[in-house]
Amino acid sequence: MTSNGPADAASPGAGAGTCDVVALGESMVTFLPTRAGRLADVPSFLRGIGGAESNVACALARAGHSARWVGRVGADGFGDHLVRAIAAYGVDTSAVRRDPARPTGVYFRTAGDRGTDAHEVAYYRAGSAASAMTAGNTDLAAVRSGRLLHLSGITAALSDGCLALMRELTAPRPGRPLVSFDVNHRPALWRGRPGGPRVLLDLARGADIVFVGEDEAREAWGLHGARAIREALPEPDVLVVKDGERGAVVFENPTATGRHGGATAGHASAPAHRGPRAADGTGERPEGAADATGATAGGAGTTGAAARGEDVMDTAVFVPAPRVDVVAAVGAGDAFAAGFLSATLRGLPVRDRLRHGHLAAAAALTVPGDLADPPVRGHADRLAALGDHAWGTLRLGPGWTEADARAAEEVRTP
């Protein structure tokens, strides 16, 4: 059953004003081990917070943007902690609803890398307060009050009500905020609920900016390579395909530059119709060797609409990731999205948007928890403006965001 009692009515989110970014989704209390070892052997844990969408909101708030997180937590101590901790990052939590009948989700993980067989994660989120979110008990006015709305596929997997809410928020409508969608394919969450990969594809097609990893596109949709992913997702104006430590490529519809590049100028709206682009005859292939995605390093290639036989051609830009001395491979995807979206809100060119994404991811990779403060804006801007050779020699290690950008210790080159 869904709670619509006094705890719902008490939230003042509907009166909140416009902000840069709204992120909607489940946040959980995380328990991080005090030492390495199996969960069965770890004697104590440190409490933190985690959640794909709230991570993005926190990182954007720390980067200087006005951010709001919309979610649902239990009327319990863990819910109190989550709301306070997220608000401490400078995030508006006024639209968060409290559920007196369901608990706040929690999870435990080992200290090892998630990419190893020894890593363990134990989630306790079934029947959580967040899984009871619906379009009827969520403050939709607050959700749509940002210039940009960030969502992820995790929410769609929580329950039928959450999926209906996601479909409502990604549906085309006049005045809709710019919708960012991180696919975040989590097969374990879809067990017992058929059609997860197809649901994620449909939701991505309704978004304006989409983030997806090559590995998850391969697992969910059987697609191999960034170009194949773009062919399966022609609708988003901006598609970011991540390839781990290698780098990321952005496919962008040139005719959408006014909406995305100009997002800082006003409240961006989604198109009233999603489908093939109108022809404008632009998109010549630039000089330079293209990689397998059709993109040149730091430059543009043609793909997407061009390959579909349309006159409009996407531009494709690939930027390699800097080398990083990884402490823990957690939270990097959320940080990347936050860095890219921050640069998008600032109207930066696509190469710099990718570089800011990589830098934010590097900040997360060099700390043990899910959340890391992004580098100071001026510092990140200086690194993002480096020439291609200097960018290619960057190596970032623990503490690199804490030193002054001009200090030699901050960025080590081999």
Side-chain angles (χ1 to χ4, degrees), residues 131-187:
S131 69
M133 284 191 296
T134 68
N137 65 21
T138 301
D139 188 345
L140 296 182
V143 174
R144 292 173 171 140
S145 64
R147 290 160 49 203
L148 186 148
L149 170 61
H150 182 69
L151 308 168
S152 94
I154 295 173
T155 306
L158 298 180
S159 67
D160 290 342
C162 285
L163 174 55
L165 172 61
M166 291 288 288
R167 285 177 169 153
E168 166 69 20
L169 295 175
T170 55
R173 64 173 61 244
R176 189 187 81 173
L178 200 67
V179 173
S180 163
F181 180 74
D182 194 335
V183 171
N184 262 324
H185 177 48
R186 304 287 176 84

Short mmCIF file of all heavy atoms in Angstrom, two decimals, residues 131-187:
data_model
loop_
_atom_site.label_atom_id
_atom_site.label_comp_id
_atom_site.label_asym_id
_atom_site.label_seq_id
_atom_site.Cartn_x
_atom_site.Cartn_y
_atom_site.Cartn_z
N SER A 131 10.61 2.80 -2.61
CA SER A 131 9.92 1.94 -3.57
C SER A 131 8.43 2.26 -3.66
O SER A 131 7.75 1.80 -4.58
CB SER A 131 10.12 0.47 -3.21
OG SER A 131 9.42 0.14 -2.01
N ALA A 132 7.91 3.05 -2.71
CA ALA A 132 6.50 3.42 -2.72
C ALA A 132 6.24 4.74 -3.44
O ALA A 132 5.12 5.23 -3.43
CB ALA A 132 5.98 3.51 -1.28
N MET A 133 7.26 5.33 -4.05
CA MET A 133 7.04 6.57 -4.80
C MET A 133 6.12 6.32 -5.99
O MET A 133 6.26 5.34 -6.70
CB MET A 133 8.37 7.15 -5.30
CG MET A 133 9.21 7.82 -4.25
SD MET A 133 10.61 8.75 -4.96
CE MET A 133 11.56 7.42 -5.71
N THR A 134 5.18 7.23 -6.18
CA THR A 134 4.29 7.19 -7.32
C THR A 134 4.09 8.62 -7.82
O THR A 134 4.47 9.58 -7.15
CB THR A 134 2.90 6.61 -6.95
OG1 THR A 134 2.24 7.53 -6.08
CG2 THR A 134 3.02 5.25 -6.28
N ALA A 135 3.45 8.73 -8.97
CA ALA A 135 3.14 10.07 -9.48
C ALA A 135 2.12 10.76 -8.58
O ALA A 135 2.07 12.00 -8.53
CB ALA A 135 2.60 9.97 -10.91
N GLY A 136 1.34 9.97 -7.84
CA GLY A 136 0.31 10.56 -6.99
C GLY A 136 0.80 11.04 -5.65
O GLY A 136 0.19 11.94 -5.05
N ASN A 137 1.91 10.48 -5.13
CA ASN A 137 2.38 10.90 -3.82
C ASN A 137 3.71 11.65 -3.87
O ASN A 137 4.37 11.84 -2.85
CB ASN A 137 2.48 9.71 -2.86
CG ASN A 137 3.53 8.69 -3.28
OD1 ASN A 137 4.45 8.97 -4.03
ND2 ASN A 137 3.37 7.46 -2.78
N THR A 138 4.11 12.06 -5.07
CA THR A 138 5.35 12.82 -5.26
C THR A 138 5.02 14.24 -5.66
O THR A 138 4.08 14.46 -6.43
CB THR A 138 6.23 12.15 -6.34
OG1 THR A 138 6.54 10.80 -5.94
CG2 THR A 138 7.53 12.91 -6.55
N ASP A 139 5.75 15.18 -5.14
CA ASP A 139 5.53 16.60 -5.45
C ASP A 139 6.06 16.89 -6.86
O ASP A 139 7.21 17.26 -7.05
CB ASP A 139 6.25 17.47 -4.42
CG ASP A 139 5.93 18.94 -4.56
OD1 ASP A 139 5.40 19.34 -5.61
OD2 ASP A 139 6.21 19.69 -3.61
N LEU A 140 5.19 16.71 -7.86
CA LEU A 140 5.62 16.86 -9.25
C LEU A 140 5.99 18.30 -9.59
O LEU A 140 6.83 18.55 -10.46
CB LEU A 140 4.53 16.36 -10.20
CG LEU A 140 4.20 14.86 -10.10
CD1 LEU A 140 3.15 14.47 -11.14
CD2 LEU A 140 5.46 14.02 -10.29
N ALA A 141 5.37 19.25 -8.91
CA ALA A 141 5.74 20.65 -9.16
C ALA A 141 7.18 20.89 -8.75
O ALA A 141 7.94 21.57 -9.46
CB ALA A 141 4.80 21.58 -8.39
N ALA A 142 7.58 20.33 -7.61
CA ALA A 142 8.97 20.47 -7.18
C ALA A 142 9.91 19.71 -8.11
O ALA A 142 11.01 20.18 -8.42
CB ALA A 142 9.13 19.98 -5.75
N VAL A 143 9.50 18.53 -8.56
CA VAL A 143 10.33 17.73 -9.46
C VAL A 143 10.60 18.48 -10.75
O VAL A 143 11.72 18.44 -11.30
CB VAL A 143 9.65 16.38 -9.76
CG1 VAL A 143 10.43 15.61 -10.82
CG2 VAL A 143 9.53 15.55 -8.49
N ARG A 144 9.60 19.20 -11.24
CA ARG A 144 9.73 19.89 -12.54
C ARG A 144 10.20 21.34 -12.40
O ARG A 144 10.17 22.10 -13.36
CB ARG A 144 8.39 19.85 -13.26
CG ARG A 144 7.99 18.44 -13.71
CD ARG A 144 6.59 18.40 -14.27
NE ARG A 144 6.30 17.11 -14.88
CZ ARG A 144 5.13 16.48 -14.77
NH1 ARG A 144 4.14 17.04 -14.08
NH2 ARG A 144 4.95 15.31 -15.37
N SER A 145 10.65 21.71 -11.21
CA SER A 145 10.98 23.11 -10.96
C SER A 145 12.40 23.48 -11.36
O SER A 145 12.78 24.64 -11.28
CB SER A 145 10.79 23.44 -9.47
OG SER A 145 11.69 22.68 -8.68
N GLY A 146 13.20 22.52 -11.79
CA GLY A 146 14.57 22.81 -12.17
C GLY A 146 14.71 23.07 -13.66
O GLY A 146 13.84 22.72 -14.46
N ARG A 147 15.81 23.69 -14.01
CA ARG A 147 16.13 23.83 -15.43
C ARG A 147 16.49 22.47 -16.01
O ARG A 147 16.34 22.23 -17.21
CB ARG A 147 17.29 24.81 -15.60
CG ARG A 147 16.90 26.25 -15.29
CD ARG A 147 18.11 27.11 -15.00
NE ARG A 147 19.14 26.95 -16.01
CZ ARG A 147 20.43 27.21 -15.79
NH1 ARG A 147 20.84 27.57 -14.59
NH2 ARG A 147 21.31 27.08 -16.76
N LEU A 148 16.98 21.58 -15.16
CA LEU A 148 17.38 20.25 -15.59
C LEU A 148 16.88 19.25 -14.55
O LEU A 148 16.97 19.49 -13.35
CB LEU A 148 18.91 20.19 -15.71
CG LEU A 148 19.52 18.91 -16.29
CD1 LEU A 148 20.79 19.26 -17.07
CD2 LEU A 148 19.84 17.90 -15.21
N LEU A 149 16.34 18.13 -15.02
CA LEU A 149 15.85 17.05 -14.16
C LEU A 149 16.71 15.82 -14.41
O LEU A 149 16.80 15.33 -15.54
CB LEU A 149 14.39 16.74 -14.45
CG LEU A 149 13.80 15.49 -13.79
CD1 LEU A 149 13.85 15.59 -12.26
CD2 LEU A 149 12.36 15.26 -14.26
N HIS A 150 17.35 15.30 -13.35
CA HIS A 150 18.20 14.13 -13.49
C HIS A 150 17.52 12.90 -12.90
O HIS A 150 17.07 12.92 -11.74
CB HIS A 150 19.55 14.35 -12.80
CG HIS A 150 20.49 13.19 -12.95
ND1 HIS A 150 21.06 12.84 -14.17
CD2 HIS A 150 20.93 12.27 -12.05
CE1 HIS A 150 21.81 11.78 -14.01
NE2 HIS A 150 21.75 11.40 -12.74
N LEU A 151 17.48 11.83 -13.69
CA LEU A 151 16.84 10.57 -13.31
C LEU A 151 17.79 9.42 -13.61
O LEU A 151 18.77 9.60 -14.33
CB LEU A 151 15.54 10.37 -14.10
CG LEU A 151 14.52 11.51 -14.08
CD1 LEU A 151 13.45 11.28 -15.15
CD2 LEU A 151 13.88 11.61 -12.70
N SER A 152 17.45 8.23 -13.10
CA SER A 152 18.23 7.06 -13.47
C SER A 152 17.34 5.84 -13.56
O SER A 152 16.23 5.81 -13.01
CB SER A 152 19.38 6.81 -12.48
OG SER A 152 19.01 5.89 -11.48
N GLY A 153 17.85 4.81 -14.24
CA GLY A 153 17.09 3.59 -14.42
C GLY A 153 16.89 2.81 -13.14
O GLY A 153 16.05 1.90 -13.10
N ILE A 154 17.64 3.14 -12.08
CA ILE A 154 17.45 2.44 -10.81
C ILE A 154 16.04 2.64 -10.29
O ILE A 154 15.39 1.70 -9.82
CB ILE A 154 18.49 2.94 -9.78
CG1 ILE A 154 19.90 2.55 -10.24
CG2 ILE A 154 18.20 2.37 -8.40
CD1 ILE A 154 21.00 3.15 -9.38
N THR A 155 15.54 3.86 -10.38
CA THR A 155 14.20 4.16 -9.85
C THR A 155 13.14 3.32 -10.54
O THR A 155 12.22 2.81 -9.90
CB THR A 155 13.89 5.65 -10.02
OG1 THR A 155 14.93 6.42 -9.40
CG2 THR A 155 12.56 6.01 -9.38
N ALA A 156 13.27 3.16 -11.85
CA ALA A 156 12.27 2.40 -12.60
C ALA A 156 12.20 0.95 -12.15
O ALA A 156 11.14 0.31 -12.28
CB ALA A 156 12.60 2.46 -14.09
N ALA A 157 13.28 0.43 -11.59
CA ALA A 157 13.33 -0.98 -11.19
C ALA A 157 12.76 -1.23 -9.80
O ALA A 157 12.56 -2.38 -9.40
CB ALA A 157 14.77 -1.48 -11.23
N LEU A 158 12.46 -0.18 -9.04
CA LEU A 158 12.07 -0.36 -7.65
C LEU A 158 10.66 -0.89 -7.48
O LEU A 158 10.38 -1.64 -6.55
CB LEU A 158 12.21 0.96 -6.88
CG LEU A 158 13.63 1.55 -6.79
CD1 LEU A 158 13.62 2.85 -6.01
CD2 LEU A 158 14.59 0.54 -6.16
N SER A 159 9.73 -0.50 -8.36
CA SER A 159 8.34 -0.93 -8.23
C SER A 159 7.57 -0.48 -9.46
O SER A 159 8.04 0.37 -10.25
CB SER A 159 7.69 -0.34 -6.98
OG SER A 159 7.54 1.07 -7.12
N ASP A 160 6.37 -1.00 -9.63
CA ASP A 160 5.52 -0.56 -10.74
C ASP A 160 5.15 0.91 -10.60
O ASP A 160 5.06 1.64 -11.58
CB ASP A 160 4.25 -1.42 -10.80
CG ASP A 160 4.54 -2.85 -11.24
OD1 ASP A 160 5.63 -3.09 -11.82
OD2 ASP A 160 3.67 -3.72 -11.00
N GLY A 161 4.92 1.34 -9.34
CA GLY A 161 4.59 2.74 -9.12
C GLY A 161 5.74 3.65 -9.49
O GLY A 161 5.54 4.73 -10.08
N CYS A 162 6.96 3.26 -9.16
CA CYS A 162 8.14 4.04 -9.52
C CYS A 162 8.31 4.09 -11.04
O CYS A 162 8.67 5.13 -11.60
CB CYS A 162 9.38 3.46 -8.87
SG CYS A 162 9.53 3.80 -7.10
N LEU A 163 8.06 2.97 -11.71
CA LEU A 163 8.17 2.95 -13.16
C LEU A 163 7.14 3.88 -13.79
O LEU A 163 7.46 4.62 -14.73
CB LEU A 163 7.98 1.52 -13.68
CG LEU A 163 7.92 1.36 -15.20
CD1 LEU A 163 9.15 1.96 -15.87
CD2 LEU A 163 7.77 -0.11 -15.58
N ALA A 164 5.90 3.87 -13.29
CA ALA A 164 4.88 4.78 -13.82
C ALA A 164 5.29 6.24 -13.60
O ALA A 164 5.07 7.10 -14.46
CB ALA A 164 3.54 4.50 -13.15
N LEU A 165 5.92 6.53 -12.47
CA LEU A 165 6.41 7.89 -12.21
C LEU A 165 7.49 8.26 -13.21
O LEU A 165 7.49 9.38 -13.75
CB LEU A 165 6.96 7.95 -10.78
CG LEU A 165 7.70 9.23 -10.38
CD1 LEU A 165 6.78 10.44 -10.48
CD2 LEU A 165 8.27 9.09 -8.97
N MET A 166 8.39 7.35 -13.50
CA MET A 166 9.45 7.63 -14.47
C MET A 166 8.88 7.86 -15.87
O MET A 166 9.35 8.74 -16.60
CB MET A 166 10.44 6.46 -14.49
CG MET A 166 11.27 6.35 -13.23
SD MET A 166 12.50 7.67 -13.11
CE MET A 166 13.64 7.14 -14.38
N ARG A 167 7.88 7.09 -16.22
CA ARG A 167 7.26 7.30 -17.53
C ARG A 167 6.57 8.65 -17.61
O ARG A 167 6.59 9.32 -18.65
CB ARG A 167 6.28 6.16 -17.82
CG ARG A 167 7.00 4.87 -18.20
CD ARG A 167 6.05 3.71 -18.40
NE ARG A 167 6.73 2.57 -19.02
CZ ARG A 167 6.37 1.31 -18.87
NH1 ARG A 167 5.32 1.01 -18.11
NH2 ARG A 167 7.05 0.35 -19.47
N GLU A 168 5.96 9.06 -16.51
CA GLU A 168 5.33 10.37 -16.47
C GLU A 168 6.37 11.49 -16.64
O GLU A 168 6.14 12.46 -17.37
CB GLU A 168 4.60 10.54 -15.12
CG GLU A 168 4.18 11.96 -14.77
CD GLU A 168 3.07 12.49 -15.67
OE1 GLU A 168 2.35 11.67 -16.29
OE2 GLU A 168 2.92 13.72 -15.73
N LEU A 169 7.51 11.34 -16.01
CA LEU A 169 8.52 12.40 -16.03
C LEU A 169 9.30 12.46 -17.34
O LEU A 169 9.85 13.52 -17.69
CB LEU A 169 9.49 12.22 -14.86
CG LEU A 169 8.88 12.36 -13.48
CD1 LEU A 169 9.89 12.04 -12.40
CD2 LEU A 169 8.30 13.77 -13.27
N THR A 170 9.36 11.35 -18.08
CA THR A 170 10.07 11.36 -19.36
C THR A 170 9.14 11.53 -20.55
O THR A 170 9.60 11.58 -21.69
CB THR A 170 10.88 10.06 -19.54
OG1 THR A 170 10.02 8.93 -19.40
CG2 THR A 170 12.00 9.97 -18.51
N ALA A 171 7.84 11.63 -20.29
CA ALA A 171 6.88 11.83 -21.38
C ALA A 171 7.04 13.24 -21.94
O ALA A 171 7.30 14.20 -21.21
CB ALA A 171 5.46 11.62 -20.88
N PRO A 172 6.88 13.40 -23.27
CA PRO A 172 7.00 14.73 -23.86
C PRO A 172 5.84 15.62 -23.43
O PRO A 172 4.69 15.19 -23.39
CB PRO A 172 6.96 14.44 -25.37
CG PRO A 172 6.25 13.13 -25.49
CD PRO A 172 6.62 12.35 -24.27
N ARG A 173 6.17 16.85 -23.05
CA ARG A 173 5.13 17.81 -22.68
C ARG A 173 5.72 19.20 -22.81
O ARG A 173 6.91 19.40 -22.57
CB ARG A 173 4.62 17.57 -21.26
CG ARG A 173 5.65 17.77 -20.18
CD ARG A 173 5.06 17.69 -18.77
NE ARG A 173 4.47 16.41 -18.48
CZ ARG A 173 3.15 16.25 -18.23
NH1 ARG A 173 2.33 17.29 -18.24
NH2 ARG A 173 2.68 15.06 -17.96
N PRO A 174 4.91 20.17 -23.18
CA PRO A 174 5.40 21.55 -23.28
C PRO A 174 5.93 22.03 -21.93
O PRO A 174 5.35 21.76 -20.88
CB PRO A 174 4.15 22.34 -23.70
CG PRO A 174 3.25 21.34 -24.34
CD PRO A 174 3.49 20.06 -23.60
N GLY A 175 7.06 22.72 -21.94
CA GLY A 175 7.62 23.28 -20.73
C GLY A 175 8.35 22.30 -19.85
O GLY A 175 8.76 22.64 -18.75
N ARG A 176 8.55 21.06 -20.33
CA ARG A 176 9.26 20.07 -19.54
C ARG A 176 10.71 20.51 -19.37
O ARG A 176 11.32 21.02 -20.30
CB ARG A 176 9.22 18.72 -20.26
CG ARG A 176 9.75 17.55 -19.45
CD ARG A 176 9.84 16.28 -20.29
NE ARG A 176 11.05 16.25 -21.11
CZ ARG A 176 11.43 15.20 -21.83
NH1 ARG A 176 10.67 14.11 -21.86
NH2 ARG A 176 12.53 15.24 -22.54
N PRO A 177 11.26 20.33 -18.18
CA PRO A 177 12.69 20.66 -18.03
C PRO A 177 13.54 19.74 -18.88
O PRO A 177 13.09 18.68 -19.33
CB PRO A 177 12.95 20.46 -16.54
CG PRO A 177 11.89 19.52 -16.08
CD PRO A 177 10.68 19.82 -16.92
N LEU A 178 14.76 20.13 -19.10
CA LEU A 178 15.72 19.29 -19.78
C LEU A 178 15.89 18.02 -18.94
O LEU A 178 16.18 18.10 -17.75
CB LEU A 178 17.05 20.03 -19.88
CG LEU A 178 18.08 19.60 -20.90
CD1 LEU A 178 17.57 19.87 -22.31
CD2 LEU A 178 19.38 20.35 -20.66
N VAL A 179 15.69 16.85 -19.54
CA VAL A 179 15.73 15.60 -18.79
C VAL A 179 17.03 14.86 -19.07
O VAL A 179 17.37 14.55 -20.21
CB VAL A 179 14.53 14.69 -19.14
CG1 VAL A 179 14.68 13.32 -18.47
CG2 VAL A 179 13.23 15.35 -18.70
N SER A 180 17.76 14.59 -17.99
CA SER A 180 18.99 13.80 -18.03
C SER A 180 18.69 12.43 -17.47
O SER A 180 18.04 12.30 -16.42
CB SER A 180 20.07 14.51 -17.20
OG SER A 180 21.13 13.63 -16.88
N PHE A 181 19.17 11.38 -18.13
CA PHE A 181 18.86 10.01 -17.72
C PHE A 181 20.12 9.16 -17.76
O PHE A 181 20.76 9.03 -18.80
CB PHE A 181 17.80 9.40 -18.65
CG PHE A 181 17.41 7.99 -18.31
CD1 PHE A 181 16.61 7.72 -17.21
CD2 PHE A 181 17.83 6.93 -19.12
CE1 PHE A 181 16.26 6.41 -16.90
CE2 PHE A 181 17.46 5.62 -18.82
CZ PHE A 181 16.67 5.36 -17.71
N ASP A 182 20.48 8.61 -16.61
CA ASP A 182 21.59 7.67 -16.52
C ASP A 182 21.00 6.27 -16.51
O ASP A 182 20.22 5.93 -15.61
CB ASP A 182 22.39 7.92 -15.24
CG ASP A 182 23.74 7.22 -15.23
OD1 ASP A 182 23.88 6.20 -15.94
OD2 ASP A 182 24.65 7.68 -14.53
N VAL A 183 21.35 5.45 -17.49
CA VAL A 183 20.72 4.14 -17.66
C VAL A 183 20.88 3.28 -16.40
O VAL A 183 19.92 2.66 -15.93
CB VAL A 183 21.30 3.42 -18.89
CG1 VAL A 183 20.80 1.97 -18.94
CG2 VAL A 183 20.89 4.16 -20.16
N ASN A 184 22.06 3.21 -15.82
CA ASN A 184 22.28 2.49 -14.55
C ASN A 184 21.58 1.13 -14.54
O ASN A 184 20.71 0.87 -13.69
CB ASN A 184 21.80 3.34 -13.37
CG ASN A 184 22.94 4.09 -12.71
OD1 ASN A 184 24.04 3.58 -12.61
ND2 ASN A 184 22.67 5.30 -12.25
N HIS A 185 21.94 0.28 -15.47
CA HIS A 185 21.34 -1.05 -15.56
C HIS A 185 21.81 -1.91 -14.39
O HIS A 185 22.99 -2.23 -14.27
CB HIS A 185 21.73 -1.71 -16.88
CG HIS A 185 21.23 -3.11 -17.03
ND1 HIS A 185 19.93 -3.47 -16.77
CD2 HIS A 185 21.86 -4.25 -17.43
CE1 HIS A 185 19.77 -4.77 -17.00
NE2 HIS A 185 20.93 -5.27 -17.40
N ARG A 186 20.90 -2.28 -13.49
CA ARG A 186 21.20 -3.12 -12.34
C ARG A 186 20.34 -4.39 -12.44
O ARG A 186 19.19 -4.41 -11.97
CB ARG A 186 20.88 -2.38 -11.03
CG ARG A 186 21.59 -1.04 -10.89
CD ARG A 186 23.07 -1.20 -10.60
NE ARG A 186 23.76 0.08 -10.55
CZ ARG A 186 23.82 0.87 -9.50
NH1 ARG A 186 23.19 0.52 -8.39
NH2 ARG A 186 24.50 2.00 -9.56
N PRO A 187 20.85 -5.44 -13.07
CA PRO A 187 20.05 -6.65 -13.30
C PRO A 187 19.41 -7.21 -12.04
O PRO A 187 18.27 -7.71 -12.09
CB PRO A 187 21.07 -7.63 -13.90
CG PRO A 187 22.11 -6.77 -14.52
CD PRO A 187 22.22 -5.56 -13.63
#
